[in-house]
Amino acid sequence: MSLVLDAAAQDLLFREARTANTFTDEPVTEEQISAIYDLVKYGPTASNQSPLRITLVRSPEARERLLPYMVEGNRAKTATAPLVAILAVDNEFHVELPRLFPHFLAAKDVLYGERPVRERSALVNGSLQAAYFIVGVRAAGLAAGPMTGFDFEGVRKEFLDDDHTPLMIVNIGRPGENAWFDRSPRLDLDEVVTTV
């Protein structure tokens, strides 16, 4: 095998990892979330823009505000997960660029001065960071249940503001009973890679 990462880690992060549909009631701690973020914050983004913003839904009141925006098939999962994260992008990420990308101080205005450019870039790079976050949850020995089955505009209005765009909602915790669907097929290398 030509991968440096050992087989157990490969299994944990990818081969055995699946979207969790049930969770135990064991809480997800602030320390676990801190450790996850301290790992995944190093994942690369264009110009180090780091547009991902995470809203942790912990309180019962916040959970009750979120549930009506979930599609019916996702509502029970979100109601019972120990922790729910709303992953969104900050479309005004460029304000932080002088600190995050000091190699090119003018990037804030030259590259990302226009809102439509920022929105496109935030969507791509925030999606990268969301994937890093999911892998980080797995690296912490927890299960992730990422979902896009929700009312995006409703969640934005309820939890965010006009400068933030929701990407996904991730249920987080220890997998519960019958947490996994059977493994679905994947495409083969020759179906996705073209050499020119």
Side-chain angles (χ1 to χ4, degrees):
M1 172 135 327
S2 60
L3 298 176
V4 174
L5 199 62
D6 71 63
Q10 293 172 39
D11 289 345
L12 176 70
L13 299 179
F14 295 100
R15 289 194 198 98
E16 299 300 323
R18 299 206 282 282
T19 296
N21 294 293
T22 67
F23 298 89
T24 69
D25 59 2
E26 182 180 334
V28 177
T29 67
E30 292 293 339
E31 292 78 15
Q32 288 171 307
I33 292 299
S34 179
I36 291 165
Y37 182 71
D38 284 345
L39 174 65
V40 303
K41 69 183 179 184
Y42 294 107
T45 57
S47 306
N48 198 33
Q49 63 189 245
S50 306
L52 184 70
R53 301 297 180 264
I54 304 167
T55 301
L56 297 177
V57 179
R58 284 197 183 274
S59 73
E61 298 79 19
R63 183 93 48 136
E64 288 303 314
R65 288 171 39 215
L66 176 60
L67 291 177
Y69 298 108
M70 304 305 297
V71 299
E72 183 61 37
N74 290 336
R75 205 165 288 151
K77 295 183 260 190
T78 301
T80 57
L83 181 63
V84 179
I86 301 170
L87 304 188
V89 294
D90 181 358
N91 294 304
E92 297 297 310
F93 67 83
H94 69 309
V95 172
E96 301 293 340
L97 283 182
R99 179 168 63 107
L100 296 176
F101 197 56
H103 324 298
F104 181 25
L105 292 175
K108 173 181 179 276
D109 299 313
V110 173
L111 299 178
Y112 303 108
E114 297 178 18
R115 175 73 179 233
V117 171
R118 287 196 305 276
E119 288 177 352
R120 283 191 302 275
S121 192
L123 179 63
V124 170
N125 289 281
S127 296
L128 277 173
Q129 287 188 285
Y132 302 149
F133 181 79
I134 292 166
V135 172
V137 167
R138 293 172 178 170
L142 299 169
M147 302 170 293
T148 56
F150 63 93
D151 176 350
F152 281 69
E153 185 59 16
V155 167
R156 187 193 63 73
K157 286 181 179 177
E158 186 71 31
F159 291 94
L160 306 169
D161 60 33
D162 290 340
D163 289 332
H164 293 79
T165 304
L167 292 174
M168 67 182 67
I169 291 174
V170 183
N171 295 327
I172 304 169
R174 300 267 179 213
E177 189 174 337
N178 300 316
W180 321 113
F181 294 140
D182 290 339
R183 169 68 75 195
S184 297
R186 297 297 192 265
L187 297 174
D188 291 326
L189 179 72
D190 61 351
E191 296 176 281
V192 297
V193 174
T194 303
T195 302
V196 294

